[in-house]
Amino acid sequence: MTRLTTAQALVRFLSRQYTERDGERRRLIDATWGIFGHGNVAGIGQALLEYAHDMPYHQGRNEQAMVHAAVGFARQSGRLAAQAVTTSIGPGATNLVTGAALATVNHLPVLLLPGDTFAARPADPVLQQLEVPYAGDVSVNDCLRPVSRYFDRITRPEALIPAALAAMRVLADPVDTGAVTLALPQDVQAEAYDWPDAFFDERVWGVRRPAPDPRELDEAVRAVRAARRPLLVAGGGVHHSRAEEALKEFADATGIPVASTQAGKGSLRWDHPSDVGGIGHTGTATANELARTADLVIGVGTRYTDFTTASGTLFGSGSVRFLNLNIAAFDSHKMAALPLVADARTGLEQLTAGLRGHRAEPSYVMEYTDDKERWEYRVDACFTADDDLVHPTQPQVLGVLDELVTEDDILINAAGSLPGDLHKLWRARSRDQYHVEYGYSCMGYEIPAAIGVALAAPGRPVWALVGDGTYLMMPTEIVTAVQENIPVKVVLLQNHGYASIGGLSASVGGEGFGTGYRFPAADGTYTGAPLPVDLAANAASLGMTVLRAKTVRDLREALAAARAADGPTCVYVETETADTVSGAPPAQAWWDVPVAETATRPSAVKAREEYDRHVTARRRRL
């Protein structure tokens, strides 16, 4: 038996947990992020000091951002390693909710350790406590229940033993992983207990690769062999499973085209003959045309969100069938599909073996190959810019970056108009170069996630692509990057407004209302002069090296300098303003955003007519 406080026991336990898959063993909890206040400073804070040699610590500036950093780390680590996040009670804990939702939506593991009010209630209420008249056992941490894959409140020291084991099981589970919350009352954290020594033994959590059921596999093989226009849709599960090589072998053997969701982009290199680019509302014309005429859609590791399916309007063939290879039975049955419940890599390997000798028809391969070539001409046109151009378009900025990067570089983005441009245009060169968080599409994710990715992939250039809107949401972790000299590269695009939502507003009759960063005009709208905001100066004030680029030539030089820098560096460029954004091809598929059914303004009336036209194409899969 070893006498320790509950917090000390937890930190010691976490330092001795491991995962293993395919012979690769990783420490499960790599480090702990923390912001201290009452509720964790004397418990977890003291324990992290006590065991500093066993548990690395990173200082955060915003609780939500700490979760984003941990999520970025987990994704880059293939979900085999995660990080913990500790906060005080009250606002520190509730600030975790958005990050927890993002982690759970994206099936990425993160351990949350918020402080909680006293279990023994010596004083009630305490500072920052939310009183609930109908329930004495509720605290603000209960907000984390619906966004956590596992939740427990540790009201006695001995209760930590089963809760900690359950938490590790969920973190390492390839189906159920996401945010895991252990709420820790501050008095229990500091309470001592005699712990069984076996609790601190090294423990290895195996990450399963379940194989498909033979009957389901036989049905899948028959369905693929019978198809004349099959299309594979690669989702994030391909990356989570490290199934990229298995997918390549499948595509090489069959010639079946491969489209990708936001989470799945990069499953094949952009220049692989079978890669046809992104699919759905932000996808390519090539992939979407194939989707409209496909007779079999093979979903691998995808959740079929509305962006992927164009809100149920994309897969237009009346006879189209779906075959879903997914480790989660819940997702494998979507779209009324034939389910193939299995690990993506294992399932693809067995499906390829079952299809030995089968190839897509040559005329079909020639069709999508020609279409892909035409699309690449459009990408070239979007990327091309004169060196003396001032205020380039967003795609032209991406084009300059495209000239510079290699397979080593990692690009991170999450929200605004950039995800659409990246999904359509970016040429992913490696399985992990494209890191766009679009399950929750959370503004403010990019900078902290880049820090997490850089911690997981030291020595690789990590780029956070940030618009002015998302920068204003969460720039604070720049200070952490400076403090620990984490050489993230921030590309800050200033267009003086919410470009993405402004374009959406215009398309649905909202006329861009409230989406520009401008002084109010006489008519009450925000159409006056841009605000005199200098975001580059702000980044510099937080300690970053900032390179301002005025022309495309300046931009090329600044990006090269940032890539070579050994400290956190920001490249600042002003692009076209939010109300004149152009450059990328328009959406190649619809997205359902309901429009006012009745209105007096002509823009809204016209938008409703367009909406009614599109919605008739929706199909429910039965």
Side-chain angles (χ1 to χ4, degrees):
M1 307 291 281
T2 302
R3 190 163 183 80
L4 300 171
T5 69
T6 303
Q8 291 164 353
L10 177 58
V11 172
R12 187 174 175 187
F13 169 85
L14 294 177
S15 71
R16 299 183 179 187
Q17 306 303 303
Y18 296 86
T19 60
E20 187 171 356
R21 184 179 66 183
D22 305 330
E24 179 185 358
R25 177 168 156 163
R26 295 283 303 271
R27 179 164 154 164
L28 177 51
I29 304 300
D30 169 85
T32 297
W33 289 86
I35 297 175
F36 296 112
H38 87 99
N40 71 337
V41 66
I44 291 291
Q46 191 281 328
L48 288 170
L49 173 64
E50 190 90 10
Y51 291 99
H53 55 288
D54 293 326
M55 178 62 68
Y57 166 73
H58 301 297
Q59 187 178 62
R61 268 70 195 179
N62 176 284
E63 292 86 359
Q64 182 189 137
M66 293 194 296
V67 185
H68 293 336
V71 167
F73 177 90
R75 175 168 167 171
Q76 187 62 33
S77 301
R79 305 196 301 181
L80 297 178
Q83 293 178 327
V85 177
T86 179
T87 71
S88 63
I89 69 173
T94 52
N95 280 351
L96 295 173
V97 174
T98 297
L102 181 147
T104 296
V105 165
N106 287 284
H107 300 288
L108 292 168
V110 60
L111 177 61
L112 307 180
L113 304 173
D116 211 328
T117 53
F118 287 85
R121 304 180 192 175
D124 191 32
V126 297
L127 178 65
Q128 298 179 329
Q129 178 178 341
L130 173 70
E131 293 185 89
V132 180
Y134 63 82
D137 63 345
V138 171
S139 80
V140 295
N141 284 329
D142 289 276
C143 295
L144 288 160
R145 288 181 183 270
V147 293
S148 298
R149 297 299 290 177
Y150 179 81
F151 178 98
D152 203 349
R153 179 176 283 111
I154 313 303
T155 56
R156 291 292 308 143
E158 57 267 35
L160 176 65
I161 295 175
L165 293 171
M168 299 304 104
R169 172 187 59 79
V170 174
L171 289 171
D173 192 298
V175 177
D176 288 334
T177 195
V180 168
T181 300
L182 296 180
L184 302 170
Q186 58 179 312
D187 52 344
V188 178
Q189 289 181 48
E191 187 175 346
Y193 181 74
D194 293 322
W195 302 88
D197 291 333
F199 184 55
F200 305 114
D201 289 346
E202 288 190 359
R203 192 179 301 266
V204 179
W205 301 86
V207 180
R208 300 183 300 278
R209 285 197 182 278
D213 176 81
R215 180 187 59 81
E216 291 185 352
L217 181 61
D218 287 344
E219 288 188 22
V221 169
R222 287 197 295 272
V224 177
R225 287 186 177 275
R228 293 293 173 264
R229 299 185 63 83
L231 172 66
L232 190 145
V233 176
V238 175
H239 292 309
H240 294 330
S241 175
R242 289 292 188 259
E244 296 90 355
E245 186 60 31
L247 177 60
K248 179 180 181 298
E249 291 173 0
F250 174 90
D252 288 341
T254 65
I256 292 173
V258 176
S260 56
T261 68
Q262 283 280 13
K265 191 174 171 76
S267 295
L268 285 183
R269 277 183 57 105
W270 75 275
D271 53 359
H272 188 282
S274 293
D275 181 76
V276 294
I279 193 168
H281 179 64
T282 54
T284 69
T286 306
N288 286 342
E289 191 56 36
L290 290 172
R292 292 184 181 99
T293 59
D295 58 359
L296 178 69
V297 177
I298 308 166
V300 181
T302 179
R303 299 185 297 125
Y304 287 109
T305 67
D306 59 344
F307 260 60
T308 298
T309 67
S311 299
T313 65
L314 181 57
F315 303 104
S317 172
S319 60
V320 65
R321 301 177 69 195
F322 290 81
L323 165 64
N324 291 343
L325 167 55
N326 203 296
I327 197 169
F330 175 78
D331 290 316
S332 70
H333 285 272
K334 289 178 178 177
M335 311 296 281
L338 290 172
L340 187 59
V341 182
D343 167 74
R345 194 183 81 177
T346 303
L348 280 169
E349 289 172 346
Q350 295 194 16
L351 188 59
T352 303
L355 291 169
R356 186 172 291 112
H358 175 78
R359 283 194 62 82
E361 295 177 359
S363 60
Y364 184 51
V365 174
M366 183 177 296
E367 174 190 331
Y368 74 71
T369 299
D370 291 344
D371 283 349
K372 176 181 176 178
E373 185 176 354
R374 284 190 288 271
W375 180 260
E376 291 303 325
Y377 284 132
R378 296 182 72 179
V379 174
D380 288 338
C382 291
F383 280 178
T384 301
D386 184 83
D387 277 356
D388 295 323
L389 177 67
V390 177
H391 295 162
T393 65
Q394 192 165 263
Q396 288 169 334
V397 174
L398 296 179
V400 177
L401 187 59
D402 178 76
E403 299 172 6
L404 179 70
V405 300
T406 70
E407 292 182 357
D408 285 342
D409 295 71
I410 302 169
L411 274 64
I412 299 170
N413 186 239
S417 56
L418 268 167
D421 289 354
L422 287 163
H423 199 208
K424 286 191 192 84
L425 305 176
W426 188 257
R427 292 161 168 164
R429 294 158 171 79
S430 65
R431 63 169 178 78
D432 61 355
Q433 180 174 87
Y434 188 88
H435 182 134
V436 172
E437 187 287 300
Y438 216 59
Y440 210 51
S441 187
C442 185
M443 295 177 71
Y445 172 82
E446 294 87 346
I447 293 174
I451 293 172
V453 169
L455 290 172
R460 295 181 62 181
V462 179
W463 301 87
L465 307 183
V466 180
D468 48 8
T470 196
Y471 179 87
L472 287 168
M473 290 279 183
M474 202 167 293
T476 52
E477 303 322 285
I478 287 175
V479 178
T480 298
V482 171
Q483 180 181 29
E484 300 196 17
N485 196 36
I486 301 170
V488 295
K489 296 92 172 57
V490 174
V491 181
L492 176 51
L493 293 86
Q494 168 67 285
N495 62 15
H496 302 286
Y498 298 117
S500 175
I501 206 68
L504 177 62
S505 174
S507 71
V508 297
E511 302 177 30
F513 176 73
T515 61
Y517 300 157
R518 298 172 179 273
F519 289 104
D523 62 358
T525 62
Y526 286 80
T527 56
L531 298 175
V533 175
D534 191 341
L535 299 183
N538 178 265
S541 76
L542 297 177
M544 242 188 175
T545 298
V546 176
L547 307 173
R548 294 177 183 257
K550 184 176 182 181
T551 66
V552 168
R553 181 183 293 103
D554 296 338
L555 178 64
R556 184 174 291 107
E557 294 172 356
L559 291 174
R563 190 174 188 275
D566 57 5
T569 305
C570 173
V571 175
Y572 174 88
V573 58
E574 291 203 33
T575 62
E576 289 189 327
T577 57
D579 52 2
T580 59
V581 170
S582 62
Q588 305 297 305
W590 187 58
W591 181 44
D592 188 351
V593 177
V595 178
E597 193 168 359
T598 180
T600 59
R601 298 180 73 88
S603 60
V605 173
K606 182 180 179 181
R608 181 67 196 197
E609 292 172 353
E610 186 72 4
Y611 178 84
D612 289 338
R613 182 179 69 82
H614 279 291
V615 80
T616 59
R618 194 196 315 275
R619 290 173 173 80
R620 294 192 183 276
R621 303 298 169 183
L622 300 173

